[in-house]
Amino acid sequence: MSKLTNAIRKYFGKIVGSIKKYDDHHNFTCDICGREVFQNERVCEKCNKDLPYIGRQRCTLCGRKVKETGVCMECKRKPLNVKTARSVFTHEGEAARLIVRFKRGDRFLCRTLAELAEPILKREFSDCDVITDVPMTKKAQRKRGYHQTRLLAEEFSRRCGIPFRVTAVKQRETALQKTLGRDAREKNLKGCFRVSDWATVEGLKILIIDDTLTTGSTVSELAETLIRAGAKSVSALTITSVEHKNPFGKLPDKSNENERIEEIGIGTKRST
């Protein structure tokens, strides 16, 4: 019976693999506007031009879009626990919409997002030893139905040839981050990640994959956990990041901090 079960699983595994391989090389409509495409691209030329790419005017540490090139005020106040972080887009418009769709059920968008971010990974993180995801609790994963950052990380690994590895677990539930300011987020996450086997990370250059960088508290806490476990260095790549609206060199207004860093909704920007 077990041999038959294994044979059936192997058979359907091949079918799923073939479908995925076909989907990776055959795309007929833009994943943003639905317009027909002809070169198997996942985003048409017009939509791609309209996406809020982050150019050279970004913080050299956290990778966010800033008003002036250099280290942003948030990183001067308290830098993230990563060697470097980069994002492809500012979290607004269609880029924000793609992230929301991905987190609300459109799993196939992991291929679209990875395709858009692949040039940055290959250019800036090709020397990493392993790619990892941001852990979820089993309860949170059951509620969502899938682990979105794992899908992304595995897709990056397949495209770029850098091994994917589960490096840590999330050992307790945490309050919703979007309702909290940076200090509260850090307190909320403190000690929530754990590396089960230090040998899996010791001496390695690790790249964390996440969908969005808001305050950076999640990436920072995970990076600190990995470094304590012996990782040589930890960097982060996210698809989008929330732009700090305060002028470069000016401390943010604390009274508006929660509103400023709250996760941005579909196709909207928060004002400060």
Side-chain angles (χ1 to χ4, degrees), residues 133-135 141 147-155 164 166 168:
D133 56 15
V134 176
Q141 188 169 338
H147 190 326
Q148 83 272 8
T149 62
R150 182 162 298 174
L151 288 178
L152 261 182
E154 289 175 339
E155 183 65 20
F164 166 76
V166 176

Side-chain angles (χ1 to χ4, degrees), residues 199-211:
T200 62
V201 303
E202 190 173 5
L204 297 180
K205 292 179 284 186
I206 300 173
L207 177 64
I208 298 170
I209 298 294
D210 202 0
D211 44 39

Side-chain angles (χ1 to χ4, degrees), residues 99-153:
I99 294 297
V100 173
R101 287 173 55 197
F102 178 50
K103 295 173 79 166
R104 291 184 178 175
D106 286 351
R107 306 185 194 191
F108 71 92
L109 287 176
C110 69
R111 294 192 287 273
T112 307
L113 297 173
E115 182 176 289
L116 292 168
E118 185 178 349
I120 291 180
L121 191 152
K122 288 183 173 180
R123 183 175 68 245
E124 302 197 31
F125 301 109
S126 61
D127 64 336
C128 286
D129 298 310
V130 296
I131 289 172
T132 196
D133 56 15
V134 176
M136 295 176 71
T137 62
K138 291 182 179 180
K139 180 180 179 180
Q141 188 169 338
R142 283 196 301 269
K143 183 177 180 180
R144 174 161 287 164
Y146 58 102
H147 190 326
Q148 83 272 8
T149 62
R150 182 162 298 174
L151 288 178
L152 261 182

Side-chain angles (χ1 to χ4, degrees), residues 171-189:
Q171 53 190 355
R172 63 176 174 81
E173 292 289 346
T174 52
L176 286 175
Q177 289 285 86
K178 67 180 182 180
T179 64
L180 306 173
R182 178 169 180 173
D183 292 341
R185 286 179 182 229
E186 290 175 358
K187 185 177 181 181
N188 182 44
L189 291 166

